[in-house]
Amino acid sequence: MERVPIVAANWKMHKTISEAVAFIEAFQPKVSEVGEVEIVICPPATALSPLRELVEGGRVQLGAQNVHWEAKGAFTGELSPSMLGELCTFVIIGHSERRAMFGETDGTVSKKLSSSLSEGLRPILCVGESLQQREAGETGTFIAGQVNAALDGLSESEINRIVIAYEPIWAIGTGRAATPDDAAAVIDGTIRATLANSFSQSAAGEMRVLYGGSVKPENANSFFKLDGIDGALVGGASLDPDSFLAIVEAAV
Ligand code: PGA
């Protein structure tokens, strides 16, 4: 099964509009000729509108880092799928930082997924276990539970538009990446196996599953060379154009 790789940048709460514009101006010309890979940048929401015009017609697609599930209403500080749909293509849903610090649950993740899909956004669904869960041997059960809870009630054609990012919590921002073999074991042995069980073998085969957690230019290739890993969700190393470029090139 040939799956086009995706390399996505999660800038988190980094970069003002002018810093984001400077990044795109430096980065974009360098990827115009790059081979088959989807490149996604998820800046803070404030930078989506200014970047949209800059990336139009080019290789960079934009994504948001969060979304609310309701279409509109009294939800101070939140952005709806249709608001983001005017500005970007992708949306990260269920990042572990949002689960840990902002009360996001499997239930809200599931609502965010279905309302984003109805608005035509392409969700990047994040799942990942804590160090405690890994050490207790609970990784497989926990990740399968996260995947099933998030995708509950969705049709196969809907899940075909989702990308999953496997991000072990203990590997995020720590410099301590999972080993490529451990990551691939969860991606194929748990995530794709769960999809095959709950949906179908072909849904599992078509799903692009990324690895995230301390991906750097130095280790990117060791993940991308494994068949089951279809790219990366990159935090820290995506903030510098040359470092993110090196990771994009490794994925081609
Ligand atoms: P990191 O973050 O690359 O800085 O570990 C990854 C993420 O949180 O998506």
Side-chain angles (χ1 to χ4, degrees):
M1 165 75 51
E2 274 297 305
R3 295 179 296 255
V4 177
I6 300 187
V7 178
N10 175 12
W11 283 357
K12 311 188 180 185
M13 199 169 73
H14 292 284
K15 295 195 193 291
T16 60
I17 292 173
S18 54
E19 288 164 348
V21 166
F23 179 106
I24 293 294
E25 282 171 348
F27 178 76
Q28 193 157 242
K30 300 182 181 169
V31 290
S32 59
E33 303 290 315
V34 89
E36 206 179 18
V37 57
E38 283 196 75
I39 305 165
V40 182
I41 293 183
C42 305
T46 45
L48 284 171
S49 182
L51 292 193
R52 193 168 81 110
E53 289 168 30
L54 285 179
V55 303
E56 204 169 316
R59 292 295 302 275
V60 173
Q61 304 181 80
L62 296 177
Q65 298 175 13
N66 180 35
V67 63
H68 195 271
W69 58 88
E70 293 288 353
K72 59 173 122 173
F75 302 103
T76 301
E78 295 292 321
L79 299 171
S80 74
S82 63
M83 292 169 187
L84 293 172
E86 290 184 322
L87 297 173
C88 62
T89 312
F90 287 83
V91 59
I92 298 173
I93 293 177
H95 190 279
S96 62
E97 287 155 13
R98 295 215 55 88
R99 294 183 194 249
M101 291 186 266
F102 301 100
E104 199 136 311
T105 62
D106 283 342
T108 59
V109 166
S110 158
K111 290 198 270 190
K112 289 175 180 207
L113 274 178
S114 48
S115 58
S116 297
L117 286 165
S118 337
E119 273 305 321
L121 286 162
R122 294 173 61 189
I124 301 173
L125 164 66
C126 299
V127 296
E129 81 287 0
S130 66
L131 188 57
Q132 211 177 7
Q133 287 165 324
R134 171 153 288 259
E135 284 171 349
E138 293 163 3
T139 301
T141 326
F142 181 71
I143 302 284
Q146 280 189 319
V147 170
N148 278 330
L151 305 183
D152 184 40
L154 297 180
S155 69
E156 200 162 319
S157 66
E158 286 175 312
I159 73 153
N160 283 339
R161 292 178 21 234
I162 296 174
V163 176
I164 295 180
Y166 168 55
E167 299 204 307
I169 296 169
W170 46 270
I172 294 177
T174 57
R176 182 187 161 195
T179 68
D181 287 341
D182 282 350
V186 173
I187 286 174
D188 279 330
T190 299
I191 296 177
R192 287 209 176 82
T194 303
L195 295 169
N197 242 324
S198 305
F199 292 89
S200 70
Q201 200 64 52
S202 75
E206 280 167 34
M207 176 67 75
R208 281 176 293 174
V209 188
L210 318 181
Y211 167 75
S214 299
V215 174
K216 307 271 177 261
E218 301 75 42
N219 64 13
N221 191 48
S222 63
F223 291 100
F224 300 158
K225 69 179 191 215
L226 299 183
D227 278 347
I229 303 181
D230 304 316
L233 181 56
V234 188
S238 72
L239 294 171
D240 172 75
D242 289 326
S243 144
F244 189 51
L245 175 68
I247 297 171
V248 167
E249 285 174 338
V252 175

PDB file of all heavy atoms in Angstrom, residues 13-40:
ATOM      1  N   MET A  13       2.489  27.327  20.941  1.00  0.00           N
ATOM      2  CA  MET A  13       2.345  28.768  21.176  1.00  0.00           C
ATOM      3  C   MET A  13       3.677  29.461  20.892  1.00  0.00           C
ATOM      4  O   MET A  13       4.304  30.044  21.777  1.00  0.00           O
ATOM      5  CB  MET A  13       1.861  29.037  22.605  1.00  0.00           C
ATOM      6  CG  MET A  13       1.249  30.423  22.766  1.00  0.00           C
ATOM      7  SD  MET A  13       0.403  30.655  24.337  1.00  0.00           S
ATOM      8  CE  MET A  13       1.757  30.763  25.487  1.00  0.00           C
ATOM      9  N   HIS A  14       4.110  29.341  19.637  1.00  0.00           N
ATOM     10  CA  HIS A  14       5.345  29.985  19.205  1.00  0.00           C
ATOM     11  C   HIS A  14       5.072  30.780  17.928  1.00  0.00           C
ATOM     12  O   HIS A  14       4.326  30.322  17.073  1.00  0.00           O
ATOM     13  CB  HIS A  14       6.426  28.939  18.888  1.00  0.00           C
ATOM     14  CG  HIS A  14       6.906  28.204  20.096  1.00  0.00           C
ATOM     15  ND1 HIS A  14       7.775  28.758  21.016  1.00  0.00           N
ATOM     16  CD2 HIS A  14       6.634  26.967  20.544  1.00  0.00           C
ATOM     17  CE1 HIS A  14       8.025  27.872  21.979  1.00  0.00           C
ATOM     18  NE2 HIS A  14       7.343  26.771  21.715  1.00  0.00           N
ATOM     19  N   LYS A  15       5.717  31.881  17.792  1.00  0.00           N
ATOM     20  CA  LYS A  15       5.771  32.757  16.628  1.00  0.00           C
ATOM     21  C   LYS A  15       4.606  33.748  16.555  1.00  0.00           C
ATOM     22  O   LYS A  15       3.437  33.379  16.493  1.00  0.00           O
ATOM     23  CB  LYS A  15       5.859  31.970  15.309  1.00  0.00           C
ATOM     24  CG  LYS A  15       7.160  31.158  15.177  1.00  0.00           C
ATOM     25  CD  LYS A  15       7.382  30.692  13.759  1.00  0.00           C
ATOM     26  CE  LYS A  15       8.476  29.643  13.682  1.00  0.00           C
ATOM     27  NZ  LYS A  15       9.824  30.183  13.961  1.00  0.00           N
ATOM     28  N   THR A  16       5.007  35.021  16.507  1.00  0.00           N
ATOM     29  CA  THR A  16       4.081  36.110  16.192  1.00  0.00           C
ATOM     30  C   THR A  16       3.797  36.056  14.696  1.00  0.00           C
ATOM     31  O   THR A  16       4.429  35.272  13.960  1.00  0.00           O
ATOM     32  CB  THR A  16       4.746  37.465  16.506  1.00  0.00           C
ATOM     33  OG1 THR A  16       5.928  37.554  15.684  1.00  0.00           O
ATOM     34  CG2 THR A  16       5.149  37.563  17.970  1.00  0.00           C
ATOM     35  N   ILE A  17       2.902  36.909  14.230  1.00  0.00           N
ATOM     36  CA  ILE A  17       2.610  36.929  12.793  1.00  0.00           C
ATOM     37  C   ILE A  17       3.883  37.233  12.004  1.00  0.00           C
ATOM     38  O   ILE A  17       4.195  36.551  11.029  1.00  0.00           O
ATOM     39  CB  ILE A  17       1.512  37.965  12.470  1.00  0.00           C
ATOM     40  CG1 ILE A  17       0.179  37.504  13.072  1.00  0.00           C
ATOM     41  CG2 ILE A  17       1.370  38.168  10.951  1.00  0.00           C
ATOM     42  CD1 ILE A  17      -0.939  38.530  12.962  1.00  0.00           C
ATOM     43  N   SER A  18       4.647  38.240  12.428  1.00  0.00           N
ATOM     44  CA  SER A  18       5.826  38.590  11.626  1.00  0.00           C
ATOM     45  C   SER A  18       6.866  37.465  11.647  1.00  0.00           C
ATOM     46  O   SER A  18       7.517  37.196  10.633  1.00  0.00           O
ATOM     47  CB  SER A  18       6.422  39.927  12.059  1.00  0.00           C
ATOM     48  OG  SER A  18       6.687  39.905  13.430  1.00  0.00           O
ATOM     49  N   GLU A  19       6.984  36.767  12.755  1.00  0.00           N
ATOM     50  CA  GLU A  19       7.918  35.627  12.795  1.00  0.00           C
ATOM     51  C   GLU A  19       7.429  34.486  11.894  1.00  0.00           C
ATOM     52  O   GLU A  19       8.218  33.815  11.225  1.00  0.00           O
ATOM     53  CB  GLU A  19       8.069  35.124  14.238  1.00  0.00           C
ATOM     54  CG  GLU A  19       8.862  36.076  15.123  1.00  0.00           C
ATOM     55  CD  GLU A  19       8.703  35.804  16.630  1.00  0.00           C
ATOM     56  OE1 GLU A  19       7.814  35.027  17.027  1.00  0.00           O
ATOM     57  OE2 GLU A  19       9.474  36.392  17.401  1.00  0.00           O
ATOM     58  N   ALA A  20       6.114  34.272  11.887  1.00  0.00           N
ATOM     59  CA  ALA A  20       5.555  33.208  11.047  1.00  0.00           C
ATOM     60  C   ALA A  20       5.751  33.531   9.564  1.00  0.00           C
ATOM     61  O   ALA A  20       6.111  32.659   8.769  1.00  0.00           O
ATOM     62  CB  ALA A  20       4.072  33.028  11.370  1.00  0.00           C
ATOM     63  N   VAL A  21       5.548  34.793   9.217  1.00  0.00           N
ATOM     64  CA  VAL A  21       5.728  35.214   7.823  1.00  0.00           C
ATOM     65  C   VAL A  21       7.194  35.038   7.417  1.00  0.00           C
ATOM     66  O   VAL A  21       7.501  34.516   6.334  1.00  0.00           O
ATOM     67  CB  VAL A  21       5.256  36.678   7.639  1.00  0.00           C
ATOM     68  CG1 VAL A  21       5.731  37.252   6.305  1.00  0.00           C
ATOM     69  CG2 VAL A  21       3.734  36.758   7.760  1.00  0.00           C
ATOM     70  N   ALA A  22       8.108  35.416   8.300  1.00  0.00           N
ATOM     71  CA  ALA A  22       9.532  35.277   7.980  1.00  0.00           C
ATOM     72  C   ALA A  22       9.894  33.807   7.768  1.00  0.00           C
ATOM     73  O   ALA A  22      10.661  33.466   6.858  1.00  0.00           O
ATOM     74  CB  ALA A  22      10.385  35.876   9.108  1.00  0.00           C
ATOM     75  N   PHE A  23       9.330  32.928   8.562  1.00  0.00           N
ATOM     76  CA  PHE A  23       9.577  31.492   8.381  1.00  0.00           C
ATOM     77  C   PHE A  23       9.121  31.054   6.994  1.00  0.00           C
ATOM     78  O   PHE A  23       9.865  30.401   6.258  1.00  0.00           O
ATOM     79  CB  PHE A  23       8.839  30.683   9.464  1.00  0.00           C
ATOM     80  CG  PHE A  23       9.003  29.190   9.342  1.00  0.00           C
ATOM     81  CD1 PHE A  23       9.830  28.489  10.217  1.00  0.00           C
ATOM     82  CD2 PHE A  23       8.344  28.475   8.342  1.00  0.00           C
ATOM     83  CE1 PHE A  23       9.996  27.110  10.106  1.00  0.00           C
ATOM     84  CE2 PHE A  23       8.498  27.090   8.224  1.00  0.00           C
ATOM     85  CZ  PHE A  23       9.321  26.411   9.097  1.00  0.00           C
ATOM     86  N   ILE A  24       7.884  31.397   6.640  1.00  0.00           N
ATOM     87  CA  ILE A  24       7.326  30.939   5.356  1.00  0.00           C
ATOM     88  C   ILE A  24       8.144  31.503   4.197  1.00  0.00           C
ATOM     89  O   ILE A  24       8.430  30.809   3.219  1.00  0.00           O
ATOM     90  CB  ILE A  24       5.835  31.342   5.228  1.00  0.00           C
ATOM     91  CG1 ILE A  24       4.992  30.584   6.256  1.00  0.00           C
ATOM     92  CG2 ILE A  24       5.303  31.086   3.813  1.00  0.00           C
ATOM     93  CD1 ILE A  24       4.905  29.084   6.070  1.00  0.00           C
ATOM     94  N   GLU A  25       8.556  32.753   4.319  1.00  0.00           N
ATOM     95  CA  GLU A  25       9.344  33.345   3.232  1.00  0.00           C
ATOM     96  C   GLU A  25      10.678  32.637   3.054  1.00  0.00           C
ATOM     97  O   GLU A  25      11.170  32.466   1.946  1.00  0.00           O
ATOM     98  CB  GLU A  25       9.531  34.848   3.467  1.00  0.00           C
ATOM     99  CG  GLU A  25       8.248  35.590   3.091  1.00  0.00           C
ATOM    100  CD  GLU A  25       8.238  37.062   3.489  1.00  0.00           C
ATOM    101  OE1 GLU A  25       9.128  37.486   4.262  1.00  0.00           O
ATOM    102  OE2 GLU A  25       7.319  37.778   3.027  1.00  0.00           O
ATOM    103  N   ALA A  26      11.260  32.176   4.150  1.00  0.00           N
ATOM    104  CA  ALA A  26      12.530  31.454   4.045  1.00  0.00           C
ATOM    105  C   ALA A  26      12.304  30.001   3.603  1.00  0.00           C
ATOM    106  O   ALA A  26      13.096  29.440   2.840  1.00  0.00           O
ATOM    107  CB  ALA A  26      13.243  31.474   5.400  1.00  0.00           C
ATOM    108  N   PHE A  27      11.231  29.410   4.065  1.00  0.00           N
ATOM    109  CA  PHE A  27      11.026  27.962   3.883  1.00  0.00           C
ATOM    110  C   PHE A  27      10.429  27.614   2.524  1.00  0.00           C
ATOM    111  O   PHE A  27      10.848  26.664   1.867  1.00  0.00           O
ATOM    112  CB  PHE A  27      10.103  27.473   5.015  1.00  0.00           C
ATOM    113  CG  PHE A  27       9.734  26.022   4.964  1.00  0.00           C
ATOM    114  CD1 PHE A  27      10.648  25.041   5.337  1.00  0.00           C
ATOM    115  CD2 PHE A  27       8.462  25.620   4.548  1.00  0.00           C
ATOM    116  CE1 PHE A  27      10.306  23.698   5.302  1.00  0.00           C
ATOM    117  CE2 PHE A  27       8.117  24.283   4.511  1.00  0.00           C
ATOM    118  CZ  PHE A  27       9.038  23.314   4.890  1.00  0.00           C
ATOM    119  N   GLN A  28       9.438  28.393   2.135  1.00  0.00           N
ATOM    120  CA  GLN A  28       8.628  28.000   0.984  1.00  0.00           C
ATOM    121  C   GLN A  28       9.427  27.793  -0.311  1.00  0.00           C
ATOM    122  O   GLN A  28       9.220  26.782  -0.983  1.00  0.00           O
ATOM    123  CB  GLN A  28       7.508  29.016   0.781  1.00  0.00           C
ATOM    124  CG  GLN A  28       6.450  28.512  -0.172  1.00  0.00           C
ATOM    125  CD  GLN A  28       5.116  29.211   0.030  1.00  0.00           C
ATOM    126  OE1 GLN A  28       4.146  28.560   0.371  1.00  0.00           O
ATOM    127  NE2 GLN A  28       5.095  30.509  -0.176  1.00  0.00           N
ATOM    128  N   PRO A  29      10.338  28.707  -0.667  1.00  0.00           N
ATOM    129  CA  PRO A  29      11.080  28.509  -1.917  1.00  0.00           C
ATOM    130  C   PRO A  29      11.884  27.204  -1.911  1.00  0.00           C
ATOM    131  O   PRO A  29      12.099  26.592  -2.952  1.00  0.00           O
ATOM    132  CB  PRO A  29      12.033  29.711  -1.974  1.00  0.00           C
ATOM    133  CG  PRO A  29      11.513  30.701  -0.989  1.00  0.00           C
ATOM    134  CD  PRO A  29      10.731  29.944   0.031  1.00  0.00           C
ATOM    135  N   LYS A  30      12.285  26.756  -0.718  1.00  0.00           N
ATOM    136  CA  LYS A  30      13.129  25.554  -0.635  1.00  0.00           C
ATOM    137  C   LYS A  30      12.339  24.270  -0.838  1.00  0.00           C
ATOM    138  O   LYS A  30      12.922  23.211  -1.073  1.00  0.00           O
ATOM    139  CB  LYS A  30      13.826  25.497   0.732  1.00  0.00           C
ATOM    140  CG  LYS A  30      14.707  26.708   0.956  1.00  0.00           C
ATOM    141  CD  LYS A  30      15.422  26.619   2.286  1.00  0.00           C
ATOM    142  CE  LYS A  30      16.268  27.867   2.486  1.00  0.00           C
ATOM    143  NZ  LYS A  30      16.798  28.030   3.806  1.00  0.00           N
ATOM    144  N   VAL A  31      11.016  24.314  -0.710  1.00  0.00           N
ATOM    145  CA  VAL A  31      10.240  23.085  -0.875  1.00  0.00           C
ATOM    146  C   VAL A  31       9.472  23.049  -2.196  1.00  0.00           C
ATOM    147  O   VAL A  31       8.760  22.084  -2.466  1.00  0.00           O
ATOM    148  CB  VAL A  31       9.253  22.832   0.300  1.00  0.00           C
ATOM    149  CG1 VAL A  31      10.026  22.483   1.561  1.00  0.00           C
ATOM    150  CG2 VAL A  31       8.315  24.003   0.531  1.00  0.00           C
ATOM    151  N   SER A  32       9.647  24.083  -3.025  1.00  0.00           N
ATOM    152  CA  SER A  32       8.833  24.119  -4.245  1.00  0.00           C
ATOM    153  C   SER A  32       9.115  22.916  -5.145  1.00  0.00           C
ATOM    154  O   SER A  32       8.240  22.460  -5.857  1.00  0.00           O
ATOM    155  CB  SER A  32       9.043  25.440  -4.978  1.00  0.00           C
ATOM    156  OG  SER A  32      10.399  25.566  -5.303  1.00  0.00           O
ATOM    157  N   GLU A  33      10.324  22.386  -5.087  1.00  0.00           N
ATOM    158  CA  GLU A  33      10.693  21.276  -5.980  1.00  0.00           C
ATOM    159  C   GLU A  33      10.768  19.934  -5.260  1.00  0.00           C
ATOM    160  O   GLU A  33      11.163  18.925  -5.849  1.00  0.00           O
ATOM    161  CB  GLU A  33      12.083  21.544  -6.596  1.00  0.00           C
ATOM    162  CG  GLU A  33      12.206  22.847  -7.358  1.00  0.00           C
ATOM    163  CD  GLU A  33      11.428  22.838  -8.650  1.00  0.00           C
ATOM    164  OE1 GLU A  33      11.524  21.824  -9.369  1.00  0.00           O
ATOM    165  OE2 GLU A  33      10.701  23.816  -8.924  1.00  0.00           O
ATOM    166  N   VAL A  34      10.427  19.915  -4.001  1.00  0.00           N
ATOM    167  CA  VAL A  34      10.591  18.685  -3.227  1.00  0.00           C
ATOM    168  C   VAL A  34       9.618  17.607  -3.747  1.00  0.00           C
ATOM    169  O   VAL A  34       8.560  17.922  -4.288  1.00  0.00           O
ATOM    170  CB  VAL A  34      10.407  19.029  -1.718  1.00  0.00           C
ATOM    171  CG1 VAL A  34       8.979  18.937  -1.287  1.00  0.00           C
ATOM    172  CG2 VAL A  34      11.309  18.217  -0.853  1.00  0.00           C
ATOM    173  N   GLY A  35      10.013  16.319  -3.618  1.00  0.00           N
ATOM    174  CA  GLY A  35       9.210  15.224  -4.171  1.00  0.00           C
ATOM    175  C   GLY A  35       7.890  14.999  -3.459  1.00  0.00           C
ATOM    176  O   GLY A  35       7.350  15.903  -2.813  1.00  0.00           O
ATOM    177  N   GLU A  36       7.381  13.761  -3.563  1.00  0.00           N
ATOM    178  CA  GLU A  36       6.025  13.503  -3.100  1.00  0.00           C
ATOM    179  C   GLU A  36       5.927  13.447  -1.564  1.00  0.00           C
ATOM    180  O   GLU A  36       6.329  12.476  -0.928  1.00  0.00           O
ATOM    181  CB  GLU A  36       5.514  12.189  -3.695  1.00  0.00           C
ATOM    182  CG  GLU A  36       4.012  12.193  -3.778  1.00  0.00           C
ATOM    183  CD  GLU A  36       3.450  10.915  -4.391  1.00  0.00           C
ATOM    184  OE1 GLU A  36       4.147   9.891  -4.448  1.00  0.00           O
ATOM    185  OE2 GLU A  36       2.284  10.956  -4.798  1.00  0.00           O
ATOM    186  N   VAL A  37       5.367  14.500  -1.007  1.00  0.00           N
ATOM    187  CA  VAL A  37       5.147  14.585   0.449  1.00  0.00           C
ATOM    188  C   VAL A  37       4.147  15.718   0.666  1.00  0.00           C
ATOM    189  O   VAL A  37       4.171  16.710  -0.058  1.00  0.00           O
ATOM    190  CB  VAL A  37       6.474  14.862   1.199  1.00  0.00           C
ATOM    191  CG1 VAL A  37       7.155  16.139   0.711  1.00  0.00           C
ATOM    192  CG2 VAL A  37       6.273  14.958   2.709  1.00  0.00           C
ATOM    193  N   GLU A  38       3.253  15.542   1.620  1.00  0.00           N
ATOM    194  CA  GLU A  38       2.380  16.656   1.995  1.00  0.00           C
ATOM    195  C   GLU A  38       3.034  17.398   3.148  1.00  0.00           C
ATOM    196  O   GLU A  38       3.465  16.787   4.133  1.00  0.00           O
ATOM    197  CB  GLU A  38       1.005  16.150   2.439  1.00  0.00           C
ATOM    198  CG  GLU A  38       0.107  15.736   1.293  1.00  0.00           C
ATOM    199  CD  GLU A  38      -1.351  15.621   1.752  1.00  0.00           C
ATOM    200  OE1 GLU A  38      -2.014  16.657   1.947  1.00  0.00           O
ATOM    201  OE2 GLU A  38      -1.811  14.479   1.928  1.00  0.00           O
ATOM    202  N   ILE A  39       3.101  18.715   3.027  1.00  0.00           N
ATOM    203  CA  ILE A  39       3.734  19.539   4.064  1.00  0.00           C
ATOM    204  C   ILE A  39       2.654  20.397   4.722  1.00  0.00           C
ATOM    205  O   ILE A  39       1.944  21.132   4.036  1.00  0.00           O
ATOM    206  CB  ILE A  39       4.809  20.463   3.449  1.00  0.00           C
ATOM    207  CG1 ILE A  39       5.827  19.639   2.648  1.00  0.00           C
ATOM    208  CG2 ILE A  39       5.491  21.282   4.541  1.00  0.00           C
ATOM    209  CD1 ILE A  39       6.697  20.489   1.722  1.00  0.00           C
ATOM    210  N   VAL A  40       2.544  20.258   6.021  1.00  0.00           N
ATOM    211  CA  VAL A  40       1.495  20.978   6.754  1.00  0.00           C
ATOM    212  C   VAL A  40       2.153  21.809   7.851  1.00  0.00           C
ATOM    213  O   VAL A  40       3.003  21.293   8.581  1.00  0.00           O
ATOM    214  CB  VAL A  40       0.497  19.989   7.400  1.00  0.00           C
ATOM    215  CG1 VAL A  40      -0.622  20.741   8.117  1.00  0.00           C
ATOM    216  CG2 VAL A  40      -0.079  19.035   6.362  1.00  0.00           C
TER     217      VAL A  40
END
